[in-house]
Amino acid sequence: MVELQQAPVLLRARSASFGYAGRALLSGVDVELRAGELFAVVGPNGSGKTTLLRGLLGLLPPLAGAVECDRRRVGYVPQREALDPLYPLTTGELVEQGAIARLGRFGHVRRRDRRGAVLALERVGLADRASSPFAALSGGQRQRALIARALLMDPLVLFMDEPTSGADPVAASAVLELVTSLVRERGLAVVLVAHHLAALRPHTDRALFVHCGRVERGALSELDDPHRALHIFRGEGAHSP
Ligand code: ADP
């Protein structure tokens, strides 16, 4: 029998520890992200989900161990509330900003990037909103514009911080549909911090459980077992070493 070839590994954390001021909040983190995988990061408040994201993204250097990936091909979609609602840019300009990470702070947006922004807006279904103020978009539309901005870096790995928070169920499901289709068509690896687990279930079963100072790979369906759910969510919060 021919064995199916496994998709390539796009990011690997080996025995990594992440934390602040030299104190590890998460330790022994061994994570492998392969092309075409969508992971939900799940755990109680304060358990270290954002810390894990920042560590894998390279914003927080590991206190021990290592994270290996091609940093030029990593994208980040912040919570849409993280942007000032008065952000005085059109949606098109916001998306063009996605090229700035590549150009450097003083780089100019080039024609190629303008074209890239148009294509990215088309891909997320916002082609007709390019000249609307970003602030005038609905919550779900803002989230899709932020995804378009991240696509400008042509990422292989995409991290998203609570992409469905505050969105109504229809908008949340449109965002998750978009993410799933990007995973499929581009072979992206996506890691998203999520609270709306029921909305995610049709899209993925892959989970990274963050609890008690550890990151454990598992399946969202494990949470159907009340004992398992209690174990993960029993509210221990941050790990006390
Ligand atoms: P979650 O995303 O699961 O809610 P976080 O990763 O945001 O958890 O936070 C985990 C713990 O790390 C919390 O106790 C939080 O107070 C602490 N923490 C977060 N950011 C910092 C920081 N910059 N400096 C020190 N402690 C922090």
Side-chain angles (χ1 to χ4, degrees), residues 95-219:
V95 173
E96 284 169 7
Q97 275 197 333
I100 286 174
R102 192 174 61 232
L103 299 172
R105 208 172 137 205
F106 301 108
H108 294 286
V109 174
R110 289 174 298 193
R111 189 184 300 181
R112 200 186 74 179
D113 299 314
R114 294 225 164 81
R115 179 80 193 127
V118 170
L119 291 175
L121 275 171
E122 271 171 18
R123 180 62 196 85
V124 303
L126 290 176
D128 57 338
R129 308 311 298 268
S131 50
S132 311
F134 175 68
L137 301 184
S138 72
Q141 288 173 334
R142 278 190 215 177
Q143 195 64 55
R144 285 189 277 139
L146 291 170
I147 293 172
R149 181 173 73 161
L151 290 181
L152 231 63
M153 285 297 286
D154 199 12
L156 293 172
V157 184
L158 201 56
F159 291 94
M160 308 180 75
D161 206 347
E162 303 194 15
T164 57
S165 75
D168 65 71
V170 175
S173 127
V175 167
L176 292 173
E177 289 284 347
L178 170 64
V179 172
T180 306
S181 58
L182 290 171
V183 167
R184 252 192 251 119
E185 78 197 33
R186 300 186 179 213
L188 288 181
V190 174
V191 177
L192 54 86
V193 174
H195 286 147
H196 294 115
L197 300 184
L200 258 172
R201 287 289 287 276
H203 301 278
T204 189
D205 195 35
R206 291 188 173 93
L208 294 173
F209 294 121
V210 181
H211 67 129
C212 307
R214 299 272 159 190
V215 178
E216 214 180 306
R217 190 183 162 147

Side-chain angles (χ1 to χ4, degrees), residues 34-53:
R34 289 177 182 272
E37 291 186 324
L38 169 59
F39 280 97
V41 177
V42 177
N45 281 339
S47 59
K49 299 182 293 299
T50 304
T51 303
L52 174 67
L53 226 60

